[in-house]
Amino acid sequence: MYGFVPRFSLVEEANVPTWYSSAALLACAALLAAVARTEREAGSRFVLHWKVLALLFLGLSVDEAAALHELLIEPVRGALGAGGLFYFAWVVPALAALAVLGLAYLRFLAHLPPQTRRLFLAAAATFVGGAVGAEMAGGAWVESRGFHNAGSALLWTVEESLEMVGVVVFVYALLRHLELRGGAVTIWVLSTAEGETSAASGEAAYARERALQVLHTPQNEGTLHGLPVRLGDAGALMQPFARLRG
């Protein structure tokens, strides 16, 4: 297939699935930053926890693209004489880091809304089960039977699939949490025709600011120049953009 299949294989690195996974983790980091801002404005005492999670997922995104964790395999394996389930020895410091993180976030989890907590735990179990659990099983298999065989390919496919599903569940959990908190994530794509006046561009900027003010209110309801505006008033919000279609 002229090298086409490896570009989409879950077994290989530096291909389309790797790009997708890295982008999905980066999206989690962005959503966590949005949640941190919402929690800060709500006066939450766990803002720092959300910020740390955002930085953690940013790091995971970079690691997914660059496979930095694999640099730990040989040094840790040599230091510990690791084999079997710990053949890919980066899992040893990873398990230690997960234990510390879990203890540090116990109170954070306890104070989450029940639905958010359940989704977070489901996402974490799925992702870690793939990234660490399946990796450990794969290490034992590779040490005893080698890498280039059907069993190895199956284990890596299971690992990557669990990671992807875990991230999707986490994205859903973050979006639901934002909804519960009254926040919103809005993506604006504006196009202006050549020759538009600066006044029209200014009107677009004003309309965008106006819409963001309304979308960001805790109860999805805001006040603009003394007039209440609800999130459902999409027509009113978008009227200033009607003349700016390019």
Side-chain angles (χ1 to χ4, degrees):
M1 295 292 290
Y2 304 100
F4 184 80
V5 172
R7 298 293 184 269
F8 290 87
S9 171
L10 294 178
V11 180
E12 304 292 335
E13 298 287 347
N15 58 8
V16 173
T18 302
W19 166 81
Y20 165 78
S21 295
S22 179
L25 290 166
L26 184 61
C28 288
L31 286 171
L32 285 163
V35 173
R37 177 180 176 182
T38 301
E39 295 289 334
R40 183 191 65 197
E41 294 178 353
S44 170
R45 56 176 170 159
F46 293 104
V47 176
L48 180 60
H49 289 72
W50 290 104
K51 290 182 177 180
V52 170
L53 282 178
L55 291 174
L56 174 62
F57 272 83
L58 178 61
L60 288 174
S61 175
V62 173
D63 180 69
E64 182 67 25
L68 298 177
H69 64 279
E70 294 186 2
L71 298 175
L72 296 174
I73 293 177
E74 293 299 333
V76 177
R77 184 189 293 160
L80 301 179
L85 292 175
F86 302 104
Y87 179 74
F88 294 130
W90 70 266
V91 301
V92 176
L95 287 170
L98 284 171
V100 172
L101 187 68
L103 290 173
Y105 273 74
L106 282 177
R107 292 180 62 192
F108 169 83
L109 285 170
H111 283 80
L112 287 175
Q115 182 187 50
T116 303
R117 181 168 56 249
R118 288 192 297 269
L119 288 170
F120 273 30
L121 290 174
T126 305
F127 183 84
V128 174
V132 179
E135 181 87 349
M136 293 172 68
W141 179 277
V142 168
E143 185 181 30
S144 62
R145 305 195 183 189
F147 184 84
H148 298 287
N149 53 67
S152 177
L154 176 61
L155 283 168
W156 302 142
T157 300
V158 170
E159 174 184 340
E160 295 298 327
S161 298
L162 286 174
E163 289 181 21
M164 290 179 178
V165 171
V167 171
V168 169
V169 173
F170 193 56
V171 168
Y172 174 73
L174 292 172
L175 291 172
R176 288 290 297 157
H177 185 73
L178 277 170
E179 182 181 14
L180 289 172
R181 291 299 196 191
V185 176
T186 308
I187 299 175
W188 296 93
V189 180
L190 297 178
S191 175
T192 58
E194 187 176 356
E196 289 280 4
T197 64
S198 58
S201 299
E203 186 176 356
Y206 168 76
R208 176 183 176 279
E209 181 180 356
R210 174 186 175 187
L212 286 175
Q213 288 177 1
V214 176
L215 288 170
H216 194 65
T217 51
Q219 293 79 29
N220 289 337
E221 182 172 355
T223 303
L224 226 32
H225 301 299
L227 299 175
V229 182
R230 297 191 61 83
L231 181 60
D233 297 334
L237 289 174
M238 299 308 296
Q239 278 181 357
F241 293 104
R243 298 190 296 103
L244 300 177
R245 282 184 277 181

